[in-house]
Amino acid sequence: MHCYLLTIGDEILIGQITDTNSAWMSRELNACGIRVVGKSSVGDTAIAIREGIAYAAQHADIVLMTGGLGPTKDDITKKTLAQLFNSDMELHEPTLERIKGYFQRINRPLPHSMYDQATLPVKATILTNKMGTAPGMWLEQGGKIYISLPGVPFEMEYLMTAEVMPRLVAQFQPRPIVHRTILTSREGESNIAKRIEMFEDTLPSHVKLAYLPGMGEVRLRLTGVWPGEIIPDAADVLTREMDQLQQQLTDLIPDLIYGYEQDSLPIVIGRLLSERSLTLATAESCTGGYIAHQITAVSGSSAYFEGSVITYSNDLKMSLLGVKMETLGTHGAVSEATVREMCSGARERLGTDFALAVTGIAGPNGGTPEKPVGTIWVGIAGPNGVATEKLTFSRDRLKNIHLTSVYALSFLRQILLTM
Amino acid sequence: MHCYLLTIGDEILIGQITDTNSAWMSRELNACGIRVVGKSSVGDTAIAIREGIAYAAQHADIVLMTGGLGPTKDDITKKTLAQLFNSDMELHEPTLERIKGYFQRINRPLPHSMYDQATLPVKATILTNKMGTAPGMWLEQGGKIYISLPGVPFEMEYLMTAEVMPRLVAQFQPRPIVHRTILTSREGESNIAKRIEMFEDTLPSHVKLAYLPGMGEVRLRLTGVWPGEIIPDAADVLTREMDQLQQQLTDLIPDLIYGYEQDSLPIVIGRLLSERSLTLATAESCTGGYIAHQITAVSGSSAYFEGSVITYSNDLKMSLLGVKMETLGTHGAVSEATVREMCSGARERLGTDFALAVTGIAGPNGGTPEKPVGTIWVGIAGPNGVATEKLTFSRDRLKNIHLTSVYALSFLRQILLTM
């Protein structure tokens, strides 16, 4: 089954936004055995949209469009679709009700443009967008499927996951397909590849392994597609085979794997803390609250996370965490000695079982020959004392902040596992 | 002058990499008056590349390709180009010498595949790649230009800057284009559209307005293309016209606009604080450090940002910020009374001119009929006292955290402006 992606919007062609949607959608589609054969971007004109759709339909069974669905004048995708499918436009009452409910909840008057937003081609199946006002649309014509989704990433991701993928899988993928996602941190793609080379070389041909690299993390995805004739318990047989392969992979790199499927480091850490009835605090300098944000992005984190102290200045390192002036004077703010006092101070003053502290030079300025930009110290204070680790990253500020968070949480996980 | 971008490589279609090259190239081309009319991605097959080039050439004067130039077997762009242009392939000695020099410098033997890398279509003008092994190529046929560049971002950027852009600008006298990006927060696309309807309806036909919505923010982009014959000072005349239009727009919604072009709310706030020699701290409950992270993501923020206290638990609200037990008991943690004591306490204990505090129910659980999920209080303590604001958002945890950050920083900006 082939799919062609079409992104609509001048903002992509003038380079104002980077298209991250396409990569996300390609991964999801590929994981379900739907091949993306090409993608195009066109501007916000009827003629460009029309031509883009025609070209896409020549190359694939599914044309998946994003963008151009807002209520303002530059968004004309919907009208162009209605014309293309010879469909009248009508006010779609359920959509209007949903939008009205949203504006009621946020206590704002309903803008008149929302009537346009809820006016939709009658031939389209409406895909309910629980994350925004513009609904998705599903149209079929001449044996092909045309899907139109809003371009805002989290709205698109919601609609793909909740509406589009289940429909596509039901329509096109009768062959059982089983995925396993294995989450690793702290090693790059090529080093992981080296360690699991044998495993990869001996995978059966109906199972594929994909590396999905992120910052400081690599997700490994095993996709098995039932190879032969479909037997009644094909799905179960394939599931058992995938379980075994996942176990083999886990045995090869247990030190790198922190979780599976929808896990994340903060979720895994939350689980470890909850199971052991332990509490956590953080003390952050160079990460400026990013680690606390990662931890508190998890719903229910208030059960184990007490709070954090972000001490950007040396004064606050002393007054809020009790770091000694001599320590700062002798070793500097970015040092093992300082991070030790930061995590011990946080553990004591915030009254938690564990405290994670980081101090470093995020950059791009502020480095010295001895302590270049990207030098970071991590400390973890717990009931059994303090453990520290030095990290060395690059000159990119946001990358350093993100990588520090991944490595520090990874370090914390290892320590919690020994409790 | 019209350009079409073509990215070549299976890695884009399976979603293994996000295409950041296109946005970069689009910005560069636009800045020189060359309009990008579309872009496509095709896989690593001769037939897909051939068809992609033909389609691109139908739509533009310049076909700008990236990717598919590496030495490995799946990269066949170069051979396909040679066939398409009826050109022989020959070893290009200057390129081979350059590659040899590179391997000598890094003290490694020359891989045999580098002879392939230096074998190039004789009809192509070779663009010397000082950042990597694969050279760029420039071909002309039928009045159109075909340019092929490697896909590695810093190699592509080097070749665009040093070789491609100067040649394009010399060859064409492009029509001046001027962009203006106006940044707004706290209002949705449709409400902004209502307020600037007259402005939008009376825009001259050579100027377009686009809405680029983000979470809690909308960017407005005005694009003017010089309409008539090109006169010597066309660019200046157009720039003045765009300046006037930007001013007209600013006068219509001054309350919503926080900046222009590459600004962001944290950058604008940092500028306001620096200009006034003021310092800032935050005290966060439901946002869990996200606001501090936004502020400290700006390089140089240590000049005005002292730190933050994240008090997820009531205990820490009392011990670290001095919130009174009676206040928490009578009004609850999510209340105007509590946020007042939080920001005042932070200002005093962290010793800053301003302190921003937030407390709320991020969700998805924890709401009550009186205080549903998405209820947030923001407080700002400054030299002139405390200001507070109540926000009401949705049931989505991460959206609530993000929106709270945008609204709170917006509120802080307004207060700083009155100083």
Side-chain angles (χ1 to χ4, degrees):
Chain A
M1 201 46 51
H2 290 179
C3 178
Y4 198 99
L5 305 181
L6 183 66
T7 58
I8 299 167
D10 290 335
E11 64 275 20
I12 288 191
L13 295 183
I14 75 160
Q16 199 143 28
I17 64 166
T18 295
D19 169 24
T20 55
N21 285 347
S22 295
W24 190 93
M25 290 190 292
S26 297
R27 284 196 298 271
E28 291 300 303
L29 291 161
N30 258 284
C32 292
I34 297 167
R35 222 180 111 208
V36 176
V37 292
K39 69 178 179 104
S40 294
S41 298
V42 296
D44 283 309
T45 68
I47 193 165
I49 295 172
R50 203 186 296 262
E51 208 202 306
I53 292 174
Y55 187 72
Q58 278 167 32
H59 291 79
D61 318 283
I62 305 159
V63 178
L64 184 46
M65 295 164 256
T66 52
L69 290 183
T72 51
K73 290 173 193 173
D74 59 338
D75 289 334
I76 52 160
T77 303
K78 204 164 57 181
K79 276 170 206 143
T80 307
L81 279 176
Q83 281 166 10
L84 214 55
F85 289 86
N86 288 312
S87 172
D88 289 332
M89 300 273 279
E90 245 178 36
L91 187 69
H92 188 250
E93 286 293 345
T95 297
L96 184 65
E97 286 312 307
R98 186 175 55 75
I99 296 175
K100 277 184 180 167
Y102 169 74
F103 279 90
Q104 264 163 19
R105 273 199 308 283
I106 64 168
N107 233 333
R108 295 229 183 177
L110 185 74
H112 196 259
S113 61
M114 287 299 143
Y115 287 89
D116 284 343
Q117 186 81 296
T119 301
L120 300 164
V122 289
K123 285 190 185 170
T125 302
I126 304 308
L127 309 177
T128 306
N129 178 2
K130 293 194 176 164
M131 296 291 161
T133 54
M137 289 171 283
W138 176 293
L139 288 143
E140 298 190 21
Q141 188 167 286
K144 302 203 184 247
I145 295 173
Y146 301 80
I147 302 160
S148 165
L149 302 178
V152 180
F154 71 90
E155 298 185 22
M156 177 283 290
E157 289 174 18
Y158 167 77
L159 279 165
M160 280 291 285
T161 307
E163 298 286 341
V164 174
M165 293 313 302
R167 282 165 207 257
L168 287 178
V169 168
Q171 198 145 344
F172 292 120
Q173 188 54 274
R175 197 169 278 276
I177 186 161
V178 177
H179 300 289
R180 288 284 181 268
T181 306
I182 296 107
L183 311 169
T184 75
S185 64
R186 300 179 69 113
E187 254 328 334
E189 202 178 338
S190 44
N191 283 330
I192 296 173
K194 223 184 293 170
R195 286 184 55 185
I196 64 173
E197 197 174 4
M198 281 279 286
F199 170 82
E200 204 172 345
D201 286 346
T202 55
L203 273 179
S205 65
H206 64 283
V207 180
K208 298 233 172 299
L209 174 68
Y211 292 77
L212 308 171
M215 224 186 265
E217 311 193 38
V218 178
R219 285 180 300 148
L220 303 172
R221 194 180 53 217
L222 287 166
T223 302
V225 181
W226 180 255
E229 233 173 278
I230 297 171
I231 54 172
D233 61 346
D236 292 341
V237 174
L238 184 62
T239 299
R240 279 196 297 276
E241 184 186 13
M242 296 302 286
D243 286 343
Q244 281 167 10
L245 289 170
Q246 171 171 314
Q247 191 54 52
Q248 283 175 30
L249 188 52
T250 302
D251 292 342
L252 283 173
I253 46 170
D255 49 320
L256 305 183
I257 294 172
Y258 69 77
Y260 301 89
E261 307 305 329
Q262 300 304 311
D263 274 347
S264 70
L265 270 170
I267 288 174
V268 169
I269 282 167
R271 209 154 49 213
L272 289 172
L273 290 165
S274 299
E275 284 166 5
R276 291 157 175 75
S277 301
L278 295 168
T279 56
L280 176 69
T282 68
E284 306 183 40
S285 185
C286 62
T287 47
Y290 189 67
I291 298 178
H293 164 58
Q294 294 293 315
I295 293 169
T296 57
V298 177
S299 169
S301 49
S302 58
Y304 47 83
F305 186 69
E306 296 289 311
S308 173
V309 172
I310 301 166
T311 53
Y312 234 50
S313 69
N314 279 351
D315 281 353
L316 291 187
K317 284 186 185 72
M318 294 188 282
S319 66
L320 294 180
L321 294 172
V323 175
K324 293 191 206 83
M325 188 180 271
E326 307 86 74
T327 309
L328 291 167
T330 312
H331 303 278
V334 179
S335 64
E336 185 175 13
T338 297
V339 89
R340 277 186 171 275
E341 294 183 11
M342 284 175 71
C343 62
S344 302
R347 180 169 181 263
E348 196 177 306
R349 297 189 180 204
L350 278 69
T352 52
D353 298 303
F354 280 88
L356 167 68
V358 294
T359 180
I361 304 154
N365 308 310
T368 64
E370 302 82 52
K371 292 177 187 173
V373 168
T375 305
I376 320 274
W377 277 97
V378 181
I380 295 172
N384 301 329
V386 173
T388 63
E389 183 176 52
K390 187 186 181 181
L391 305 173
T392 314
F393 299 128
S394 72
R395 300 186 58 77
D396 185 285
R397 183 177 184 84
L398 291 180
K399 208 168 155 180
N400 287 341
I401 291 172
H402 189 100
L403 284 173
T404 300
S405 169
V406 172
Y407 276 67
L409 291 175
S410 236
F411 187 31
L412 176 60
R413 176 181 158 269
Q414 284 165 13
I415 287 177
L416 288 174
L417 282 176
T418 66
M419 286 290 291
Chain B
M1 200 48 50
H2 290 180
C3 178
Y4 198 99
L5 305 182
L6 183 66
T7 58
I8 298 167
D10 290 334
E11 63 276 22
I12 289 192
L13 295 184
I14 68 167
Q16 201 144 32
I17 64 166
T18 295
D19 169 26
T20 55
N21 284 347
S22 296
W24 191 93
M25 291 190 292
S26 297
R27 284 196 297 271
E28 291 300 300
L29 291 161
N30 257 284
C32 292
I34 297 167
R35 223 181 110 207
V36 175
V37 291
K39 71 176 178 105
S40 295
S41 299
V42 295
D44 283 309
T45 68
I47 192 164
I49 295 171
R50 202 186 298 260
E51 208 203 307
I53 293 174
Y55 187 72
Q58 280 168 30
H59 291 79
D61 318 284
I62 306 160
V63 178
L64 184 46
M65 294 164 257
T66 53
L69 291 184
T72 49
K73 288 175 199 165
D74 57 340
D75 290 335
I76 52 161
T77 303
K78 204 165 57 181
K79 276 169 208 147
T80 307
L81 280 176
Q83 281 167 9
L84 214 55
F85 289 86
N86 286 313
S87 172
D88 289 332
M89 300 272 280
E90 245 178 36
L91 187 69
H92 188 249
E93 285 295 343
T95 297
L96 184 65
E97 286 312 307
R98 186 175 56 74
I99 295 175
K100 277 184 180 167
Y102 169 74
F103 279 91
Q104 264 162 20
R105 275 199 307 282
I106 63 166
N107 233 335
R108 296 226 184 173
L110 185 74
H112 196 259
S113 60
M114 288 299 143
Y115 287 90
D116 283 343
Q117 187 81 298
T119 301
L120 300 164
V122 289
K123 286 191 184 168
T125 302
I126 304 307
L127 310 175
T128 305
N129 178 1
K130 293 193 177 165
M131 297 293 160
T133 54
M137 290 172 283
W138 176 295
L139 288 143
E140 297 190 22
Q141 189 166 284
K144 301 202 184 247
I145 295 174
Y146 300 81
I147 302 161
S148 165
L149 302 177
V152 182
F154 70 91
E155 298 185 23
M156 177 283 290
E157 289 174 19
Y158 167 77
L159 278 165
M160 280 290 285
T161 309
E163 299 285 342
V164 174
M165 293 313 301
R167 282 166 206 256
L168 287 177
V169 169
Q171 194 143 347
F172 303 112
Q173 198 188 5
R175 190 169 282 277
I177 296 189
V178 177
H179 298 289
R180 287 285 181 270
T181 306
I182 296 105
L183 311 170
T184 76
S185 63
R186 299 179 68 110
E187 261 316 341
E189 202 178 340
S190 43
N191 282 329
I192 297 173
K194 216 189 299 169
R195 285 183 57 186
I196 63 173
E197 196 172 7
M198 281 279 286
F199 171 82
E200 203 172 346
D201 287 345
T202 55
L203 274 180
S205 65
H206 65 282
V207 180
K208 297 226 175 300
L209 175 68
Y211 293 77
L212 308 172
M215 223 188 266
E217 310 193 40
V218 177
R219 286 180 298 151
L220 303 172
R221 191 187 59 226
L222 287 166
T223 303
V225 182
W226 180 256
E229 232 173 277
I230 298 173
I231 54 172
D233 60 347
D236 292 341
V237 174
L238 183 62
T239 299
R240 280 197 296 276
E241 184 186 13
M242 295 302 287
D243 285 343
Q244 282 167 10
L245 289 171
Q246 173 172 314
Q247 191 55 54
Q248 283 176 31
L249 188 53
T250 302
D251 292 343
L252 284 173
I253 46 170
D255 49 321
L256 305 184
I257 295 172
Y258 69 79
Y260 301 90
E261 306 306 329
Q262 301 301 316
D263 274 347
S264 70
L265 269 171
I267 289 174
V268 169
I269 283 167
R271 208 152 53 214
L272 288 172
L273 290 165
S274 298
E275 284 166 6
R276 292 159 174 74
S277 301
L278 295 169
T279 57
L280 176 68
T282 67
E284 306 184 39
S285 184
C286 62
T287 47
Y290 189 69
I291 298 177
H293 164 58
Q294 294 293 315
I295 293 168
T296 57
V298 178
S299 170
S301 49
S302 57
Y304 47 83
F305 186 69
E306 295 289 311
S308 172
V309 173
I310 300 166
T311 53
Y312 234 52
S313 68
N314 278 352
D315 280 354
L316 291 186
K317 284 186 184 73
M318 294 188 283
S319 67
L320 294 180
L321 294 171
V323 175
K324 294 192 206 83
M325 188 182 272
E326 307 84 76
T327 310
L328 291 168
T330 312
H331 302 279
V334 179
S335 64
E336 183 173 17
T338 297
V339 89
R340 277 186 172 273
E341 294 183 11
M342 284 175 70
C343 62
S344 301
R347 180 171 181 263
E348 196 177 304
R349 298 190 178 203
L350 278 69
T352 52
D353 299 303
F354 281 88
L356 167 67
V358 293
T359 180
I361 304 154
N365 307 312
T368 64
E370 302 82 51
K371 293 177 186 175
V373 168
T375 305
I376 321 274
W377 277 98
V378 181
I380 295 172
N384 300 330
V386 173
T388 62
E389 183 175 51
K390 186 185 181 182
L391 305 173
T392 314
F393 297 128
S394 72
R395 301 185 58 77
D396 185 281
R397 183 177 184 86
L398 290 179
K399 206 168 158 181
N400 288 340
I401 290 172
H402 189 101
L403 285 173
T404 300
S405 169
V406 172
Y407 277 67
L409 291 174
S410 235
F411 186 32
L412 175 60
R413 176 180 158 270
Q414 283 165 13
I415 288 177
L416 288 173
L417 282 176
T418 65
M419 286 291 291

